[in-house]
């Protein structure tokens, strides 16, 4: 609800509400009005919502799921286990696992389901859960052990979460990448993206592409089209919340070929089967909605969503993503 310079935003989930605004008087009046219309309780400043814990300071809002993560660790009996430094082994072959079938399918599904909800505030789990969730129907022992490794990784920093910085700009920036024919079973490529609002992560995804890409350039370009759609949607959503973007949103990748396709107005046999994506991305560039540029692979933030990285690179990329642990010793 917007009236002049006053704005109220209400998030509703069944019978739980979050009310936010830029005018404390009108905010109080609105809550009083709701109290007169419905039987409800005002719990004060936001601290807990649907398993999400919120802490605030001068630096901004810190959103995490420490209690939920600890519940997962306790349920799996790993409270006394040695923590893992990163969530998944590099060069894993989980898609080709031939070990014994895990006999408690419901237990596997329950654990992966819990971890998927935890990934709401844990972008670092995105790739691992993308892999593990593919074996819900018939998990094998290797898949169960990989899931337990993710839990041991949680034990290292159960309070890790997202910091929404109070002093950061409100400009959108996106990173995208792909892993060409990464699935050994379907040969489909992997798309992943990561979006920051200022210095705060707000959107991320790891997903198989719908079709098989003929080249790494095509796989990268399909990822570029996917994150362009996401950025356009986020721009519209933020506009409804009163945050407007007058300049093009920065889009970073490590593929010169994808950038060349985006900037080349001539279609040829290598691009005719992705012509729709070409029109979508190129139209966004012409209208200055996005401003793509190339960057080195070593600082490609989306890389953490597409493969199992080693300890050093995993920690380096994580430190650049606006993810912190409020409970870590200083």
């Amino acid at each position: 609800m917007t009236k002049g310079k006053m704005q109220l935003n209400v998030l509703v989930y069944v019978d739980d509400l979050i009310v936010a605004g830029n005018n404390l008087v009108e905010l109080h009046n609105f809550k009083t009005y709701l109290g007169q219309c419905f039987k409800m309780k005002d719990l004060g400043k936001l601290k807990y919502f649907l398993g999400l814990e919120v802490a605030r300071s001068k630096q901004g809002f810190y959103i995490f799921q420490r209690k939920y993560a600890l519940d997962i660790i306790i349920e799996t009996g790993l409270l006394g286990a040695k923590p893992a430094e990163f969530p998944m082994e590099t060069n894993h072959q989980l898609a080709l696992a031939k070990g014994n079938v895990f006999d408690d399918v419901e237990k596997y599904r329950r654990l992966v389901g819990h971890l998927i909800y935890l990934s709401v505030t844990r972008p670092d789990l995105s790739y691992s859960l993308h892999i593990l969730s593919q074996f819900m129907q018939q998990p094998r022992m290797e898949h169960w052990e990989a899931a337990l490794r993710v839990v041991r990784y949680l034990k290292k920093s159960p309070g890790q979460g997202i910091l929404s910085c109070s002093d950061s700009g409100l400009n959108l920036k996106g990173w995208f990448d792909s892993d060409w024919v990464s699935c050994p079973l379907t040969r489909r490529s992997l798309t992943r993206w990561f979006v920051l609002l200022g210095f705060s992560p707000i959107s991320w995804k790891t997903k198989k592409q719908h079709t098989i890409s003929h080249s790494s350039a095509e796989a990268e370009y399909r990822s570029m089209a996917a994150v362009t759609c996401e950025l356009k949607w986020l721009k519209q959503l933020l506009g409804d919340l009163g945050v407007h973007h007058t300049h093009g949103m920065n889009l970073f990748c490590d593929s010169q070929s994808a950038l060349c396709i985006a900037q080349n107005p001539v279609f040829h046999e290598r691009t005719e089967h992705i012509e729709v994506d070409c029109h979508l991305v190129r139209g966004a560039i012409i209208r200055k909605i996005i401003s793509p540029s190339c960057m080195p692979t070593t600082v490609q933030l989306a890389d953490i969503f597409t493969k199992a990285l080693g300890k050093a690179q995993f920690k380096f990329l994580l430190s650049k993503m606006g993810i912190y642990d409020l409970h870590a010793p200083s």
Side-chain angles (χ1 to χ4, degrees), residues 94-97 105 108-109 130-140 143 185:
L94 291 175
L96 303 175
V105 178
Y108 180 86
R109 292 173 181 170
H130 163 77
I131 297 296
L132 295 175
S133 61
Q134 296 179 59
F135 311 108
M136 294 289 210
Q137 186 171 357
Q138 192 181 55
R140 297 184 180 275
H143 305 141
L185 301 177

Side-chain angles (χ1 to χ4, degrees), residues 3 12 25 43 82 103-104 110 139 142 151 153 183 186 209 241 243 253 259 268 283 288 303 308 310 326:
K3 185 177 181 181
V12 182
V25 175
L43 299 178
K82 181 181 178 180
D103 55 4
D104 195 342
R110 178 178 173 84
E142 293 94 329
V151 178
Y153 168 71
C183 178
T186 64
Q209 296 183 357
L241 296 175
V243 180
C253 73
L259 291 176
H268 46 76
K288 297 184 178 180
D303 213 30
L326 187 68

Side-chain angles (χ1 to χ4, degrees), residues 12-308:
V12 182
Y13 182 83
V14 190
D15 57 352
D16 294 313
L17 288 82
I18 297 177
V19 184
N22 57 1
N23 187 304
L24 291 177
V25 175
E26 292 300 329
L27 198 62
H28 176 74
N29 292 339
F30 181 67
K31 289 193 291 185
T32 302
Y33 170 74
L34 288 177
Q36 294 171 349
C37 297
F38 309 98
K39 185 178 180 180
M40 59 181 292
K41 178 187 273 187
D42 182 3
L43 299 178
K45 293 181 179 180
L46 180 63
K47 294 181 179 178
Y48 194 83
F49 186 75
L50 301 178
L52 306 181
E53 300 171 67
V54 180
R56 64 184 69 206
S57 68
K58 293 181 180 179
Q59 285 72 38
F61 290 91
Y62 183 69
I63 306 170
F64 58 104
Q65 294 169 278
R66 186 172 187 269
K67 181 182 181 302
Y68 191 76
L70 288 173
D71 288 343
I72 295 174
I73 296 169
I74 293 171
E75 184 176 316
T76 52
L78 294 176
L79 196 59
K82 181 181 178 180
E85 292 293 330
F86 46 97
M88 185 165 282
E89 290 284 358
T90 57
N91 303 316
H92 66 83
Q93 296 293 325
L94 291 175
L96 303 175
K98 300 295 183 181
N100 295 330
V101 175
F102 185 58
D103 55 4
D104 195 342
V105 178
E106 291 300 322
K107 188 176 181 180
Y108 180 86
R109 292 173 181 170
R110 178 178 173 84
L111 175 56
V112 175
H114 285 332
L115 292 172
I116 288 174
Y117 188 67
L118 185 63
S119 67
V120 171
T121 58
R122 299 289 298 256
D124 49 327
L125 302 180
S126 182
Y127 173 75
S128 303
L129 297 180
H130 163 77
I131 297 296
L132 295 175
S133 61
Q134 296 179 59
F135 311 108
M136 294 289 210
Q137 186 171 357
Q138 192 181 55
R140 297 184 180 275
M141 286 303 301
E142 293 94 329
H143 305 141
W144 173 247
E145 291 167 2
L148 291 181
R149 180 188 172 89
V150 175
V151 178
R152 289 196 295 109
Y153 168 71
L154 293 181
K155 189 175 182 297
K156 178 177 176 290
S157 53
Q160 187 170 286
I162 295 169
L163 177 64
S164 295
C165 301
S166 58
D167 59 349
S168 90
L170 297 178
N171 54 312
L172 285 168
K173 296 175 287 187
W175 283 259
F176 73 92
D177 203 357
S178 73
D179 197 5
W180 184 44
V181 296
S182 60
C183 178
L185 301 177
T186 64
R187 307 313 293 172
R188 285 194 285 169
S189 304
L190 201 60
T191 284
R192 76 277 193 169
W193 73 68
F194 178 68
V195 179
L196 288 176
L197 179 63
F199 302 116
S200 307
I202 61 170
S203 178
W204 53 88
K205 194 165 194 176
T206 300
K207 185 179 181 180
K208 280 184 187 178
Q209 296 183 357
H210 296 295
T211 59
I212 298 175
S213 297
H214 294 75
S215 65
S216 59
E218 180 183 338
E220 293 276 1
Y221 200 81
R222 291 194 187 280
S223 297
M224 190 177 191
V227 73
T228 297
C229 292
E230 180 73 3
L231 286 171
K232 290 169 70 176
W233 179 78
L234 288 171
K235 179 180 179 180
Q236 180 178 343
L237 177 63
L238 290 171
D240 294 338
L241 296 175
V243 180
H244 301 286
H245 288 76
T246 56
H247 304 290
M249 296 173 285
N250 292 324
L251 187 57
F252 302 102
C253 73
D254 56 6
S255 172
Q256 286 283 5
S257 56
L259 291 176
C260 289
I261 294 174
Q263 295 166 357
N264 181 13
V266 178
F267 293 98
H268 46 76
E269 62 180 9
R270 289 186 62 192
T271 59
E272 60 184 9
H273 49 287
I274 54 170
E275 188 172 337
V276 174
D277 287 337
C278 285
H279 283 300
L280 186 151
V281 174
R282 195 166 298 143
I285 294 175
I286 292 173
R287 294 194 300 274
K288 297 184 178 180
I289 296 175
I290 61 172
S291 177
S293 56
C294 195
M295 65 186 313
T297 302
T298 53
V299 290
Q300 169 57 277
L301 299 188
D303 213 30
I304 203 172
F305 300 103
T306 193
K307 59 176 73 74

